[in-house]
Amino acid sequence: MNEPFFSLSDPIPFEGPDSRNPLAYRWYQADRQVLGKSMEDQLRFAVCYWHSFCWRGNDAFGADSLLRPWFDGADAMQLAERKADVAFEMFRLLGVPFFCFHDRDIAPEGDSLTQSNANLWAMTEILARKMEDAKTRLLWGTANLFSHRRYMAGAGTNPDPEVFAYAAAQVKTCLDVTKQLGGQNYVLWGGREGYETLLNSDIKQELDQLGRFLNLVVDYKHRIGFEGAILVEPKPQEPTKHQYDFDVASVFGFLKAYGLEKEVQVNIEVGHAVLAGHAFEHEIATAHALGIFGSIDINRNDYQSGWDTDQFPNNVPELALAFYYILSAGGFGRGGLNFDAKLRRQSIDPDDLLHGHVGGIDACARALLAAARMIEDGALGAALTDRYAGWRGDEAAAMLRGERGLDEIAARVESEGREPRPQSGRQEYLENLVNSYL
Ligand code: XUL
Ligand code: CO
């Protein structure tokens, strides 16, 4: 029997907004009804395996600061099991409904692909057994196609077709495993699907490869009857200088070009939106407008650093606005909120993991309540409806449907001789309105 990893043994309780207990929920009450669903079903929280249980606290200037009992030892599979024990212990303490992983987070890479696959299937069996006794389900799985040196020039976009094939083989098994564990989605983040210099990169060739790669994944998903959604996670750069899946709009263009816009959705990450120079809600609203909204990696970036700092979310006003757009988009179907967030490297105590998650969960719950007030009150929605009211007129609707040519429109404007009347955009009124719900 191993020593307990965390200081708690009872699940984090809900104690309400006045509680001073730092390891209690003040806002997240799983069964509280919000807009016709429980908070748990609205928020669909997931813990990510990699930052919580695999990251060693290293940075560009320093090695490991986090020392975990499953990091080093002779038997890699035994260490993976120990890691899984702690992971499921944390899921239980937090009461989260989901988790997410990369293939290489849950099982060690072997000396060959065959050995890696055997390790992965062995750990899949172990996780499946743990899931029988836990409420936590799999939100999504993904293949790590960026850490090993074979992928240094990309996976699907690699100039070497043998690397493309190796990556395809790795994704095949990871998709099988994700299906086996009842995953709700499958994610592809193109960590190195981009370039360091155009001097050695043929953009057309690489985009064609990436389009083929994604089509192979979608075909295989249908072949095995995987019912989850395939999600691409946009990010503009880091580790590459330029990543092809730059942001939601670029991913949509890519999907259209390769005939995949009905098959693939996006997993939008807060920090990646910031790196792309967008507000997080911009990415959500764009994905909704284009019909590809899938799921979210919830975290935050330090706005000054210019890096993907993957901190736990804690800014309620920002989250509230984002959740307003999530709820406006109809909320989550198969998606959810994956904490793609890691501790700071000085937060070395096991309980720091609990503090990060409890704070993030509470910030999201509080923001959800504010966003629900925005929806229920309806003033923001009404202002938007008003602003576009003119387009509901017969003539305007005919223009939008494409039933009027440029010459017909011109003739009507001249014959009517009316000057359009500018209207206020009312930005300050709307911004104040948002603050009134917080
Ligand atoms: C990297 C990132 C990944 C993906 C999964 O920035 O966000 O962890 O979420 O590969
Ligand atoms: Co992510």
Side-chain angles (χ1 to χ4, degrees):
M1 196 53 201
N2 289 306
E3 291 280 295
F5 184 68
F6 299 106
S7 73
L8 300 184
S9 50
D10 289 334
I12 306 284
F14 169 75
E15 292 184 1
D18 295 333
S19 171
R20 304 296 301 160
N21 174 2
L23 287 180
Y25 292 126
R26 296 165 65 224
W27 301 95
Y28 182 63
Q29 200 175 3
D31 55 6
R32 174 169 174 184
Q33 293 294 305
V34 181
L35 298 179
K37 276 195 212 171
S38 69
M39 265 195 171
E40 180 167 283
D41 289 344
Q42 287 283 14
L43 292 165
R44 293 168 63 84
F45 287 121
V47 165
C48 88
Y49 227 84
W50 52 102
H51 287 319
S52 292
F53 310 114
C54 307
W55 185 60
R56 293 167 176 256
N58 50 304
D59 70 8
F61 295 89
D64 309 4
S65 67
L66 305 180
L67 308 175
R68 306 297 197 214
W70 57 89
F71 279 171
D72 299 297
D75 185 338
M77 286 301 282
Q78 221 168 39
L79 295 173
E81 264 195 70
R82 173 82 173 105
K83 178 162 57 173
D85 290 344
V86 173
F88 274 78
E89 173 62 1
M90 190 168 94
F91 305 159
R92 185 185 68 82
L93 292 174
L94 295 172
V96 287
F98 294 105
F99 72 112
C100 299
F101 61 69
H102 297 90
D103 46 4
R104 301 297 175 250
D105 302 334
I106 59 168
E109 175 132 12
D111 292 337
S112 64
L113 186 61
T114 307
Q115 186 58 55
S116 300
N117 287 344
N119 292 350
L120 186 56
W121 278 114
M123 280 309 300
T124 298
E125 248 176 67
I126 289 169
L127 295 190
R129 246 180 287 131
K130 288 184 171 300
M131 287 167 74
E132 282 171 18
D133 302 326
K135 76 171 211 179
T136 308
R137 299 282 160 261
L138 181 62
L139 186 64
W140 48 263
T142 187
N144 179 330
L145 305 178
F146 45 86
S147 292
H148 194 281
R149 68 191 291 280
R150 82 175 69 85
Y151 295 128
M152 66 186 175
T157 58
N158 201 291
D160 179 353
E162 287 311 311
V163 178
F164 176 103
Y166 197 105
Q170 195 179 323
V171 169
K172 182 229 173 254
T173 304
C174 193
L175 201 48
D176 289 337
V177 158
T178 300
K179 175 174 183 257
Q180 176 74 15
L181 290 173
Q184 303 266 309
N185 306 275
Y186 183 85
V187 165
L188 293 118
W189 170 57
R192 296 187 193 274
E193 312 294 21
Y195 61 79
E196 298 303 325
T197 172
L198 259 188
L199 295 174
N200 65 14
S201 308
D202 179 339
I203 291 184
K204 172 80 170 93
Q205 167 73 24
E206 294 200 1
L207 287 175
D208 283 351
Q209 288 178 211
L210 198 57
R212 171 54 36 215
F213 196 88
L214 199 50
N215 266 291
L216 285 168
V217 176
V218 168
D219 284 349
Y220 187 67
K221 160 202 150 138
H222 289 304
R223 244 182 322 121
I224 62 173
F226 175 65
E227 284 171 10
I230 301 290
L231 306 175
V232 164
E233 183 171 321
K235 185 176 182 182
Q237 75 225 24
E238 203 199 294
T240 55
K241 170 189 160 64
H242 176 86
Q243 190 180 304
Y244 296 126
D245 300 330
F246 194 93
D247 60 2
V248 169
S250 338
V251 168
F252 182 74
F254 171 80
L255 295 177
K256 276 286 241 199
Y258 293 94
L260 290 166
E261 74 276 13
K262 299 267 188 304
E263 293 282 355
V264 177
Q265 298 162 355
V266 280
N267 183 45
I268 304 169
E269 177 162 327
V270 184
H272 299 179
V274 171
L275 281 183
H278 297 308
F280 177 40
E281 63 268 21
H282 164 89
E283 290 292 78
I284 297 166
T286 302
H288 176 43
L290 298 172
I292 55 169
F293 176 68
S295 196
I296 280 175
D297 270 12
I298 195 83
N299 57 19
R300 81 177 201 278
N301 267 16
D302 184 294
Y303 286 120
Q304 278 84 49
S305 75
W307 291 0
D308 188 21
T309 56
D310 284 341
Q311 290 167 257
F312 282 92
N314 72 353
N315 188 323
V316 176
E318 284 189 358
L319 290 166
L321 203 51
F323 283 17
Y324 174 68
Y325 288 99
I326 294 172
L327 292 173
S328 304
F332 292 118
R334 306 184 72 89
L337 291 169
N338 168 47
F339 283 104
D340 196 350
K342 61 178 182 247
L343 296 172
R344 297 307 87 194
R345 74 190 290 269
Q346 296 178 58
S347 302
I348 58 176
D349 294 343
D351 280 4
D352 288 325
L353 276 172
L354 299 177
H355 287 288
H357 284 93
V358 167
I361 286 173
D362 251 356
C364 291
R366 194 171 177 183
L368 173 75
L369 292 170
R373 288 193 286 274
M374 296 179 200
I375 299 272
E376 274 164 345
D377 183 62
L380 282 168
L384 203 61
T385 308
D386 265 10
R387 190 152 196 246
Y388 294 89
W391 283 98
R392 290 194 292 279
D394 291 343
E395 192 52 33
M399 271 198 301
L400 195 59
R401 282 195 301 268
E403 293 164 8
R404 299 286 185 275
L406 207 56
D407 49 349
E408 292 169 290
I409 294 173
R412 176 177 64 79
V413 170
E414 281 200 46
S415 78
E416 290 176 358
R418 253 186 293 134
E419 177 64 26
R421 248 187 331 131
Q423 305 275 326
S424 172
R426 307 176 78 201
Q427 184 167 336
E428 295 75 12
Y429 158 75
L430 293 167
E431 287 169 348
N432 296 348
L433 192 56
V434 167
N435 278 349
S436 76
Y437 304 108
L438 296 177

